[in-house]
Each structure stands twice: as structure tokens, then as C-alpha cells.
Amino acid sequence: VLCVAPEKIAEISSKHHTVESMTSVYAKNFHSKVTVAIPPFVSWPTDLGVPGTETSDLLSRDVDLDVLAVAIDNGDIELTPAQRTMLEAELREGKCSLSCTSESNEDVL
């Protein structure tokens, strides 16, 4: 479930272009999936779900790599070169994903 506080999205997006990009890509792809969810190709969308709208279906793997790069550049996380290389490889292979959360009013990876 993706929860977005409308009053905060503009504020966060202006500070964090990766969040803006990720939100935009997600919204456009979600809208696309909803508008093409027509039998017999896929099930009708319901209040409980829309076919093909898992996060991994909607977001580019490049977004995860961008989130990681920004977090490292901003000093939000520290990784050794070997850890970074391994994480980037796992992100490219779709073995994991990253997301930003808010904790104590600070944006955290």
C-alpha cells in the first residue's frame, strides 16, 4: 500500500527530486494499469487490487539505484565499496528494492 500525505508531497518533492520522480513514475504506471484492466486479458480492478500493480511492476529499477545514490551522497547511509556493489547488483536483478520512510520528521532510507 502506498500512502501519500497530499499536504506534504509538494514540500518533499521540492527537496528530494528522487521522491518526485518515483512518485510520478508510480502514479503514471498505476493509472495505465487501471485503464487497461479489462477482461478477458486481465481481471477487472476492484477496491482490493488492480492487476499488475505490484510496486515492482510500477517502478523502474533505476529509481532504486537513484534512491541509493542520493542516500549515499547525502550521507544518510554508509556502505563499503563491496557492500554498495553487491546492493546495486541485487537491485538490478530485482532481488530487493528500496524505499524512503519518515522517522522523527527526518527522511530516512
Side-chain angles (χ1 to χ4, degrees):
V1 174
L2 176 67
C3 298
V4 178
E7 65 279 358
K8 290 286 191 175
I9 195 68
E11 177 186 340
I12 292 170
S13 293
S14 68
K15 295 178 189 172
H16 304 282
H17 297 290
T18 301
V19 173
E20 178 182 31
S21 172
M22 184 171 62
T23 304
S24 176
V25 167
Y26 185 96
K28 288 175 185 175
N29 289 340
F30 187 88
H31 178 264
S32 174
K33 295 290 185 176
V34 169
T35 58
V36 298
I38 302 170
F41 305 108
V42 295
S43 303
W44 286 106
T46 70
D47 291 345
L48 302 177
V50 177
T53 58
E54 295 298 321
T55 302
S56 59
D57 297 328
L58 298 175
L59 292 176
S60 163
R61 290 188 183 131
D62 292 339
V63 170
D64 285 333
L65 293 170
D66 289 344
V67 169
L68 177 62
V70 168
I72 291 170
D73 292 346
N74 289 343
D76 295 330
I77 61 171
E78 293 181 20
L79 298 174
T80 66
Q83 290 171 324
R84 182 176 182 167
T85 299
M86 183 186 299
L87 182 53
E88 288 173 341
E90 289 183 4
L91 290 168
R92 283 188 193 94
E93 294 168 12
K95 292 182 178 179
C96 64
S97 65
L98 302 177
S99 63
C100 295
T101 61
S102 182
E103 191 173 286
S104 302
N105 295 325
E106 294 181 27
D107 295 322
V108 179
L109 177 67

